[in-house]
Amino acid sequence: DVKVTQSSRYLVKRTGEKVFLECVQDMDHENMFWYRQDPGLGLRLIYFSYDVKMKEKGDIPEGYSVSREKKERFSLILESASTNQTSMYLCASSEQSSNSPLHFGNGTRLTVT
Amino acid sequence: GDSVTQMEGPVTLSEEAFLTINCTYTATGYPSLFWYVQYPGEGLQLLLKATKADDKGSNKGFEATYRKETTSFHLEKGSVQVSDSAVYFCALNPFVNQGGKLIFGQGTELSVKP
């Protein structure tokens, strides 16, 4: 069965800390994505990647960076966490076709204090 | 730009009631359309999809028809169950050659009472 695994379900970090959110998929998918989910705003795309070592900005990339050194792993990095980055973060992967659905992990709920 | 608009929730229904969650979209070209469901404490999972006009997606008793003339993709179920309580997201992919880069609506929370 398809599986996207996010390393942490809950994280609490302090303002100014560097935060790493890890995501691994076992489906050999080319595409990987990081979304942020906030009440009333739905899901917003932060960054995505269509290949190893490739990354592109989504709709809200400010304050975030990503790393994709291996096909199965896509990391989201908060260089200096701020309270407005408190949110649910969802990782997803998909095949290349535009008809292909996204497969999501269970999410990481990050609280920045 | 491309966008998705869903009816606001929460929607509260009694078990066995008929469900409609409205979804309309704005996009150039011919996007693929999706409905996702998020159960409490979980990530999103694909419920159904449609890739061209007049296609009907269906799964687990849910249906949605891709209506290009009204730019809509409304989700329906004839008889809801308590286990259908979740948040439902409508989404589109306006990119012909790029998989997965979806634009989501804000989500509609459904609560089904016994």
Side-chain angles (χ1 to χ4, degrees):
Chain A
D1 197 13
V2 162
K3 200 164 179 71
V4 177
T5 303
Q6 295 183 231
S7 55
S8 305
R9 290 300 302 272
Y10 300 95
L11 275 179
V12 180
K13 297 292 183 181
R14 293 191 180 275
T15 301
E17 278 193 80
K18 190 169 186 176
V19 182
F20 293 87
L21 302 183
E22 306 288 347
C23 175
V24 176
Q25 51 98 359
D26 66 358
M27 297 159 283
D28 201 35
H29 284 167
E30 292 83 4
N31 305 338
M32 295 191 75
F33 304 81
W34 276 104
Y35 283 88
R36 171 176 171 162
Q37 181 180 11
D38 299 289
L41 297 177
L43 276 72
R44 294 178 291 169
L45 182 62
I46 305 172
Y47 266 97
F48 61 101
S49 169
Y50 287 144
D51 201 354
V52 176
K53 296 192 185 295
M54 175 270 180
K55 61 185 179 184
E56 286 195 37
K57 293 180 180 179
D59 300 317
I60 53 164
E62 296 78 18
Y64 303 95
S65 63
V66 291
S67 172
R68 193 166 182 201
E69 296 296 320
K70 294 185 178 181
K71 188 176 185 180
E72 67 271 19
R73 187 179 296 271
F74 193 37
S75 303
L76 180 68
I77 303 156
L78 287 65
E79 297 290 343
S80 177
S82 64
T83 55
N84 63 12
Q85 292 178 311
T86 292
S87 186
M88 171 69 84
Y89 291 89
L90 293 168
C91 176
S93 70
S94 80
E95 296 175 356
Q96 285 184 324
S97 166
S98 63
N99 298 334
S100 299
L102 284 170
H103 299 272
F104 284 89
N106 281 338
T108 296
R109 183 164 294 282
L110 172 66
T111 302
V112 182
T113 61
Chain B
D2 303 316
S3 66
V4 176
T5 302
Q6 294 180 231
M7 63 186 286
E8 289 201 20
V11 173
T12 302
L13 296 174
S14 298
E15 207 165 22
E16 299 184 2
F18 185 87
L19 169 71
T20 300
I21 300 178
N22 290 337
C23 171
T24 57
Y25 67 89
T26 302
T28 55
Y30 301 91
S32 297
L33 301 175
F34 304 83
W35 275 101
Y36 283 82
V37 58
Q38 184 178 34
Y39 299 103
E42 298 182 11
L44 280 71
Q45 53 186 276
L46 178 69
L47 183 59
L48 53 85
K49 69 177 185 180
T51 58
K52 61 183 187 296
D54 300 324
D55 265 3
K56 178 186 281 189
S58 61
N59 186 25
K60 299 181 182 179
F62 291 89
E63 294 182 339
T65 300
Y66 188 162
R67 302 282 188 203
K68 189 158 180 65
E69 64 276 11
T70 55
T71 62
S72 65
F73 193 53
H74 303 322
L75 183 68
E76 297 182 336
K77 187 176 185 183
S79 176
V80 294
Q81 305 301 312
V82 172
S83 57
D84 293 327
S85 297
V87 181
Y88 293 81
F89 291 91
C90 185
L92 67 84
N93 184 353
F95 303 101
V96 173
N97 297 317
Q98 293 181 2
K101 192 180 172 189
L102 302 188
I103 297 168
F104 286 87
Q106 73 272 34
T108 301
E109 182 181 359
L110 170 66
S111 177
V112 181
K113 307 296 184 186

